């Protein structure tokens, strides 16, 4: 008989009763590959550019690819886009974090990915969005208005090719965290 088998069965496993936080982060591999590729193409166009009319077009193409490389490199520095834990959900809209408790959420809808090139989406529908959306700066409010027109909810985060969820079972993970305080539904 060993020491492990002499212990009661429940003492052998350290089971954490608290749910694990759920996050959506930008994909470092995708953004890094795009930033590196765009930078190399920008250097290639700039190296072959001249002052002739076609050379000027090459300078313009080099500038456009350089801008794309900077945008993708900036996306590498963005951390979490959504964090859900046992208290509530926090979303990043631009540079602002918007958070709400599970009790203040009317429902959470999840649109799953249908194929590898498709994006899924998590939309948070608040019971009273006025105070939260009213306290945001104008730049963030413009993005939430665009979100509302595109997705039907001001607070929505995509996941898919460029953003990865921490758990592949998105609906189940959010349902466990919500713990019957708000419904989590899959949008068909």
């Amino acid at each position: 008989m060993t020491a492990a088998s002499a212990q009661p069965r429940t003492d052998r496993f350290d089971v954490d009763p608290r749910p694990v936080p759920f996050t959506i982060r930008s994909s470092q591999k995708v953004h890094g590959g795009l930033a590196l590729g765009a930078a190399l193409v920008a250097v290639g166009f700039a190296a072959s550019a001249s002052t002739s009319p076609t050379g000027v077009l090459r300078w313009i193409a080099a500038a456009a690819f350089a801008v794309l490389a900077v945008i993708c490199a900036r996306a590498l520095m963005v951390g979490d886009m959504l964090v859900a834990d046992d208290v509530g959900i926090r979303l990043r809209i631009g540079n602002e974090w918007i958070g709400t408790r599970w009790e203040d959420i009317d429902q959470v809808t999840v649109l799953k990915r249908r194929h590898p090139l498709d994006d899924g989406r998590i939309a948070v529908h608040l019971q009273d969005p006025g105070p939260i959306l009213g306290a945001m700066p104008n730049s963030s409010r413009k993005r939430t208005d665009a979100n509302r027109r595109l997705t039907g909810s001001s607070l929505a985060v995509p996941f898919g090719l460029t953003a990865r969820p921490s758990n592949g079972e998105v609906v189940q993970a959010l349902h466990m965290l919500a713990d019957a305080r708000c419904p989590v539904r899959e949008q068909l």
Side-chain angles (χ1 to χ4, degrees), residues 68-89:
L68 178 63
V70 168
I71 290 170
C72 290
R74 184 182 180 280
L76 284 171
M77 293 182 258
V78 172
D80 296 333
M81 297 167 53
L82 178 138
V83 177
D85 55 18
D86 54 348
V87 175
I89 293 181

mmCIF file of all heavy atoms in Angstrom, residues 68-89:
data_model
loop_
_atom_site.group_PDB
_atom_site.id
_atom_site.type_symbol
_atom_site.label_atom_id
_atom_site.label_comp_id
_atom_site.label_asym_id
_atom_site.label_seq_id
_atom_site.Cartn_x
_atom_site.Cartn_y
_atom_site.Cartn_z
ATOM 1 N N LEU A 68 0.398 49.261 -43.176
ATOM 2 C CA LEU A 68 -0.168 47.968 -42.818
ATOM 3 C C LEU A 68 0.720 47.245 -41.806
ATOM 4 O O LEU A 68 0.238 46.650 -40.848
ATOM 5 C CB LEU A 68 -0.374 47.094 -44.059
ATOM 6 C CG LEU A 68 -0.925 45.688 -43.818
ATOM 7 C CD1 LEU A 68 -2.313 45.751 -43.203
ATOM 8 C CD2 LEU A 68 -0.941 44.908 -45.120
ATOM 9 N N ALA A 69 2.044 47.322 -41.992
ATOM 10 C CA ALA A 69 2.977 46.687 -41.054
ATOM 11 C C ALA A 69 2.871 47.316 -39.669
ATOM 12 O O ALA A 69 2.891 46.601 -38.658
ATOM 13 C CB ALA A 69 4.407 46.790 -41.581
ATOM 14 N N VAL A 70 2.722 48.629 -39.603
ATOM 15 C CA VAL A 70 2.591 49.311 -38.313
ATOM 16 C C VAL A 70 1.284 48.928 -37.638
ATOM 17 O O VAL A 70 1.248 48.673 -36.426
ATOM 18 C CB VAL A 70 2.707 50.842 -38.500
ATOM 19 C CG1 VAL A 70 2.290 51.594 -37.249
ATOM 20 C CG2 VAL A 70 4.116 51.217 -38.901
ATOM 21 N N ILE A 71 0.197 48.854 -38.390
ATOM 22 C CA ILE A 71 -1.097 48.470 -37.823
ATOM 23 C C ILE A 71 -1.035 47.048 -37.266
ATOM 24 O O ILE A 71 -1.510 46.776 -36.161
ATOM 25 C CB ILE A 71 -2.218 48.616 -38.873
ATOM 26 C CG1 ILE A 71 -2.477 50.086 -39.168
ATOM 27 C CG2 ILE A 71 -3.499 47.932 -38.410
ATOM 28 C CD1 ILE A 71 -3.386 50.340 -40.351
ATOM 29 N N CYS A 72 -0.438 46.141 -38.008
ATOM 30 C CA CYS A 72 -0.324 44.752 -37.539
ATOM 31 C C CYS A 72 0.623 44.651 -36.344
ATOM 32 O O CYS A 72 0.379 43.860 -35.428
ATOM 33 C CB CYS A 72 0.140 43.840 -38.664
ATOM 34 S SG CYS A 72 -1.102 43.616 -39.938
ATOM 35 N N ALA A 73 1.693 45.442 -36.327
ATOM 36 C CA ALA A 73 2.610 45.434 -35.186
ATOM 37 C C ALA A 73 1.922 45.987 -33.945
ATOM 38 O O ALA A 73 2.129 45.495 -32.835
ATOM 39 C CB ALA A 73 3.859 46.238 -35.506
ATOM 40 N N ARG A 74 1.069 46.985 -34.114
ATOM 41 C CA ARG A 74 0.308 47.524 -32.977
ATOM 42 C C ARG A 74 -0.655 46.472 -32.437
ATOM 43 O O ARG A 74 -0.865 46.368 -31.241
ATOM 44 C CB ARG A 74 -0.451 48.771 -33.379
ATOM 45 C CG ARG A 74 -1.169 49.412 -32.213
ATOM 46 C CD ARG A 74 -1.974 50.635 -32.623
ATOM 47 N NE ARG A 74 -2.652 51.227 -31.502
ATOM 48 C CZ ARG A 74 -3.785 50.787 -30.996
ATOM 49 N NH1 ARG A 74 -4.370 49.734 -31.499
ATOM 50 N NH2 ARG A 74 -4.343 51.390 -29.967
ATOM 51 N N ALA A 75 -1.240 45.681 -33.328
ATOM 52 C CA ALA A 75 -2.158 44.625 -32.884
ATOM 53 C C ALA A 75 -1.424 43.570 -32.064
ATOM 54 O O ALA A 75 -2.042 42.888 -31.241
ATOM 55 C CB ALA A 75 -2.835 43.984 -34.096
ATOM 56 N N LEU A 76 -0.118 43.430 -32.265
ATOM 57 C CA LEU A 76 0.673 42.504 -31.444
ATOM 58 C C LEU A 76 0.716 42.947 -29.985
ATOM 59 O O LEU A 76 0.823 42.130 -29.081
ATOM 60 C CB LEU A 76 2.105 42.396 -31.973
ATOM 61 C CG LEU A 76 2.315 41.564 -33.215
ATOM 62 C CD1 LEU A 76 3.718 41.746 -33.734
ATOM 63 C CD2 LEU A 76 2.037 40.110 -32.917
ATOM 64 N N MET A 77 0.660 44.237 -29.766
ATOM 65 C CA MET A 77 0.759 44.769 -28.410
ATOM 66 C C MET A 77 -0.570 44.778 -27.668
ATOM 67 O O MET A 77 -0.600 44.979 -26.466
ATOM 68 C CB MET A 77 1.348 46.173 -28.451
ATOM 69 C CG MET A 77 2.785 46.176 -28.894
ATOM 70 S SD MET A 77 3.459 47.813 -28.866
ATOM 71 C CE MET A 77 3.405 48.210 -30.599
ATOM 72 N N VAL A 78 -1.670 44.588 -28.385
ATOM 73 C CA VAL A 78 -2.974 44.557 -27.740
ATOM 74 C C VAL A 78 -3.105 43.233 -27.007
ATOM 75 O O VAL A 78 -2.866 42.176 -27.570
ATOM 76 C CB VAL A 78 -4.103 44.713 -28.792
ATOM 77 C CG1 VAL A 78 -5.456 44.491 -28.160
ATOM 78 C CG2 VAL A 78 -4.027 46.069 -29.438
ATOM 79 N N GLY A 79 -3.461 43.310 -25.754
ATOM 80 C CA GLY A 79 -3.612 42.093 -24.954
ATOM 81 C C GLY A 79 -4.993 41.493 -25.144
ATOM 82 O O GLY A 79 -5.426 41.189 -26.248
ATOM 83 N N ASP A 80 -5.681 41.355 -24.058
ATOM 84 C CA ASP A 80 -7.013 40.759 -24.085
ATOM 85 C C ASP A 80 -8.012 41.712 -24.726
ATOM 86 O O ASP A 80 -7.939 42.923 -24.558
ATOM 87 C CB ASP A 80 -7.475 40.431 -22.663
ATOM 88 C CG ASP A 80 -6.611 39.376 -22.005
ATOM 89 O OD1 ASP A 80 -6.029 38.571 -22.736
ATOM 90 O OD2 ASP A 80 -6.535 39.368 -20.769
ATOM 91 N N MET A 81 -8.954 41.140 -25.469
ATOM 92 C CA MET A 81 -10.048 41.921 -26.043
ATOM 93 C C MET A 81 -11.328 41.739 -25.223
ATOM 94 O O MET A 81 -12.196 42.597 -25.231
ATOM 95 C CB MET A 81 -10.291 41.490 -27.487
ATOM 96 C CG MET A 81 -9.108 41.761 -28.371
ATOM 97 S SD MET A 81 -9.189 40.963 -29.981
ATOM 98 C CE MET A 81 -10.751 41.453 -30.605
ATOM 99 N N LEU A 82 -11.431 40.598 -24.551
ATOM 100 C CA LEU A 82 -12.572 40.292 -23.701
ATOM 101 C C LEU A 82 -12.078 39.427 -22.554
ATOM 102 O O LEU A 82 -11.271 38.513 -22.754
ATOM 103 C CB LEU A 82 -13.647 39.540 -24.488
ATOM 104 C CG LEU A 82 -14.882 39.104 -23.704
ATOM 105 C CD1 LEU A 82 -16.127 39.341 -24.522
ATOM 106 C CD2 LEU A 82 -14.813 37.659 -23.302
ATOM 107 N N VAL A 83 -12.551 39.739 -21.354
ATOM 108 C CA VAL A 83 -12.259 38.926 -20.174
ATOM 109 C C VAL A 83 -13.578 38.687 -19.462
ATOM 110 O O VAL A 83 -14.288 39.638 -19.122
ATOM 111 C CB VAL A 83 -11.265 39.628 -19.215
ATOM 112 C CG1 VAL A 83 -11.049 38.797 -17.966
ATOM 113 C CG2 VAL A 83 -9.961 39.914 -19.908
ATOM 114 N N ALA A 84 -13.922 37.424 -19.254
ATOM 115 C CA ALA A 84 -15.110 37.046 -18.497
ATOM 116 C C ALA A 84 -14.651 36.217 -17.311
ATOM 117 O O ALA A 84 -13.862 35.293 -17.464
ATOM 118 C CB ALA A 84 -16.075 36.249 -19.367
ATOM 119 N N ASP A 85 -15.129 36.578 -16.129
ATOM 120 C CA ASP A 85 -14.803 35.806 -14.937
ATOM 121 C C ASP A 85 -16.070 35.636 -14.106
ATOM 122 O O ASP A 85 -17.166 35.894 -14.603
ATOM 123 C CB ASP A 85 -13.670 36.463 -14.146
ATOM 124 C CG ASP A 85 -13.951 37.911 -13.778
ATOM 125 O OD1 ASP A 85 -15.125 38.330 -13.816
ATOM 126 O OD2 ASP A 85 -13.003 38.626 -13.454
ATOM 127 N N ASP A 86 -15.932 35.226 -12.854
ATOM 128 C CA ASP A 86 -17.123 34.971 -12.059
ATOM 129 C C ASP A 86 -17.823 36.255 -11.620
ATOM 130 O O ASP A 86 -18.935 36.205 -11.124
ATOM 131 C CB ASP A 86 -16.793 34.086 -10.857
ATOM 132 C CG ASP A 86 -15.667 34.638 -10.019
ATOM 133 O OD1 ASP A 86 -14.982 35.571 -10.476
ATOM 134 O OD2 ASP A 86 -15.468 34.139 -8.898
ATOM 135 N N VAL A 87 -17.223 37.428 -11.831
ATOM 136 C CA VAL A 87 -17.848 38.699 -11.474
ATOM 137 C C VAL A 87 -18.649 39.272 -12.634
ATOM 138 O O VAL A 87 -19.766 39.745 -12.466
ATOM 139 C CB VAL A 87 -16.776 39.721 -11.019
ATOM 140 C CG1 VAL A 87 -17.399 41.079 -10.767
ATOM 141 C CG2 VAL A 87 -16.058 39.210 -9.794
ATOM 142 N N GLY A 88 -18.090 39.230 -13.849
ATOM 143 C CA GLY A 88 -18.762 39.805 -15.005
ATOM 144 C C GLY A 88 -17.909 39.731 -16.249
ATOM 145 O O GLY A 88 -17.012 38.899 -16.349
ATOM 146 N N ILE A 89 -18.203 40.629 -17.191
ATOM 147 C CA ILE A 89 -17.504 40.670 -18.473
ATOM 148 C C ILE A 89 -16.905 42.053 -18.658
ATOM 149 O O ILE A 89 -17.557 43.062 -18.392
ATOM 150 C CB ILE A 89 -18.470 40.363 -19.644
ATOM 151 C CG1 ILE A 89 -18.955 38.931 -19.575
ATOM 152 C CG2 ILE A 89 -17.799 40.617 -20.979
ATOM 153 C CD1 ILE A 89 -19.889 38.550 -20.696
#
